[in-house]
Amino acid sequence: MSTCWGRRKFLQRLAAGALLLPGCRQSGGRLVVGFSQMDTGGAWRVAETRSMREAAAARGDRFRLLVTDAQDQTAKQLADVEDMIARRVTALFVAPREYEGLETVFAAARRVGIPVFLLDREAREPGTDYLTFIGSDFVAQGRQVAQWLVRHTGGQAAVVELTGTPGSSVARDRAAGFREGIAAAPGMRILAAQTASFSRAAGQRVMSNLVQAFGPRLTAVYAHNDEMALGAVQALRAAARRPGRDVTVVSVDGQRAALEAILRGELGATVESDPRLGPPAFAALEDHLSGKPVPPRLLLTDRLFDASNAARFIGQAY
Amino acid sequence: MSVATAEKQWQVAWVPVGLHHGTFVLLALLILVNAALTPNFATFATLWNLLLQAAPALLLGVGMTLVLATGGIDLSVGSAMALASVAAVLAIPHGTVAAMLAGLGTTLALGVINGSLIAHWEVSPFLATLATLITGRGLAQVMSRDGEVVPFSDPAFEALGQGRLGPVPVPVALAALTIGAGVFVVRATTWGRYLLAIGGNERAAYAAGVPVGRTGWIAYLVSAVLAGVAGLIETARLGATDPANIGAGAEFAAIAGAVIGGTSLRGGHARISGTAAGVLILVVISASFNMLGISYAWSMVLQAAIILTAAALQGRGSPGEGRA
């Protein structure tokens, strides 16, 4: 197989003035695939990117992975994806910040025949704008947490909800799932739902305000991710409400720090949202390249961690 | 005296004073309304909670006011917080004092870079500090392996954010001291007078023998180090460093607080006490909206309306007048 950036080839292309023209799908005989990550803030995103790099390295003789970081800006992600389409990558993995902003570039990818694999955040129409979605069922995650909380509190709790970034599908689905999960238990009440943008610092700030507002009335906290839950634990402690005893805190993600908090008795439960999407993503890509059909949704099975199993799984946590 | 001069005099005398007091009146009003409407607002626990949340922004606000007084701006303070946070947490294995020195040392270096770029290479303050904003945040994330949240356990360090001196949380005491020192420096020291002179008219100040370069340089240094202290406080409160999020957008809170408090972006003013009131107004709004269960988006709208009103009122005064 010819190389794209070998010196000889490079000079030939330079001579032909064709260096910047599309058509460079291969690098050292390997297929170049792009991964547009929306952000690298927080353990979850870091683990996801690492998993993609590792899965690509494990297939290093066949694929080379280009990674871009949109730094939590839709406009930057748009440009990142456009650049990779212009480079004519073989396939695109996209962990979208918000799906709506990216429809136009997905259409552009389709026109030039680059398959798009959507990671971790889902959108409306699999099969047309993108080939498949690989990730977790966020509604099911919210439901699982809610069911654990109903069991643990005997169906009686006044809950404060710390929600994720407004408008993100994760926040929407984890909120909806939680409400499904508590629907059958009339003793479960949601006192307030306020956003803390998936960040630990914001979780602490918002929670300290809510503790002041509700005082001893609040008995449980549901955070849309572990980071906010860990911030809430700090805020509860600062307000002399003992997390795990006076107030039950639950969340989603299953990161190592959360499992440690479970072992300390501060966090009640967390549902895993597996960031290790690299292996299933590359498996789907290989299937697609060899002509096998790829289902429109590839959902991971998420486990629930609480005091009964946290010690056993902490070695696997990210 | 002509009518025009008389009107000008009136503006000079009253608009800034009115705005200055207006900030305190608005803060008092917000507190009264919340005391009446917001459940559990009128309690000591809420008071300390609000001041604790405001403390980092108050520290940034003092530094920002000094920089704005020179006619400059410091956009890099949020990134300075993140840098101090990461540097300190990485140095914790060497002891609490080493950690704090590492944090403050890093921001000191950032301040030196800002000051040198602006004073010696005459890069515009906006561009120089925009560059250090971007580099600082990037560096903070690189230092912690791609922006990972790194937790730590060090009771002495954590006391900086979680400890109390009597009933007063340590960060609040630090903020109060800094505000006091800031007011003193602006009102009673030669450097304070130099600062306002540069902001009022840099060329005239230079002609009058004011050490323009050095004076401005020190303002950026103070701003960066205060941001470092704010970063250490946030880190100690969290018990972790979160390089992607600590201090993100903090520069806006500091600039907005200063503008609400009557410090002009055109330089020549430094109203430290006004900045403190401005920062508290923003914090009271966001905290009370949390407590009332109103969407965060509405608190942003209200905050923006207050900032715009303050800016519009300032626009009617003429630049260069008014002191702390």
Side-chain angles (χ1 to χ4, degrees), chain A residues 25 85 88 103-115 128:
Chain A
R25 278 177 185 236
I85 293 172
R88 289 290 196 273
E103 277 165 322
T104 49
V105 284
F106 288 168
R110 192 174 60 235
R111 273 197 299 279
V112 294
I114 298 174
T128 53

Side-chain angles (χ1 to χ4, degrees), chain A residues 19-44:
Chain A
L19 187 66
L20 294 174
L21 288 181
C24 185
R25 278 177 185 236
Q26 294 173 347
S27 166
R30 297 177 296 169
L31 299 169
V32 178
V33 288
F35 171 41
S36 165
Q37 174 60 283
M38 58 154 281
D39 193 19
T40 46
W44 200 93

Side-chain angles (χ1 to χ4, degrees), chain A residues 39-43 46 50 53 69 192-195 198-201 204-206 208-215 217 227 231 234 237-238 257 260, chain B residues 39-40 43 45-46 49-50 53 141 145-149 151 158 162 164 234 237-240 242 244-246 286-287 289-291 293-296:
Chain A
D39 193 19
T40 46
V46 174
R50 195 173 293 152
R53 286 189 198 279
D69 170 11
Q194 288 277 312
T195 183
F198 287 131
S199 114
R200 191 185 292 217
Q204 184 182 38
R205 180 170 46 73
V206 173
S208 63
N209 293 331
L210 293 171
V211 173
Q212 291 309 322
F214 296 110
R217 275 198 293 151
E227 287 293 334
Q234 289 279 7
R237 275 215 305 244
E260 285 164 1
Chain B
N40 298 327
T43 61
T46 299
N49 176 43
L50 285 174
Q53 276 176 40
Q141 295 189 27
R145 290 207 303 168
D146 282 346
E148 254 181 50
V149 175
E158 283 164 78
Q162 299 171 20
R164 279 173 188 263
E234 286 265 286
R237 283 196 70 203
L238 273 180
D242 184 355
N245 288 308
I246 281 189
S286 63
F289 275 47
N290 274 161
M291 293 176 75
I294 306 170
S295 160
Y296 177 65

Side-chain angles (χ1 to χ4, degrees), chain B residues 81-91 139-141 143-144 235 241-243:
Chain B
M81 286 174 70
L83 269 178
S85 173
V86 178
V89 171
L90 292 182
L139 207 59
Q141 295 189 27
M143 280 161 66
S144 78
T235 310
T241 179
D242 184 355

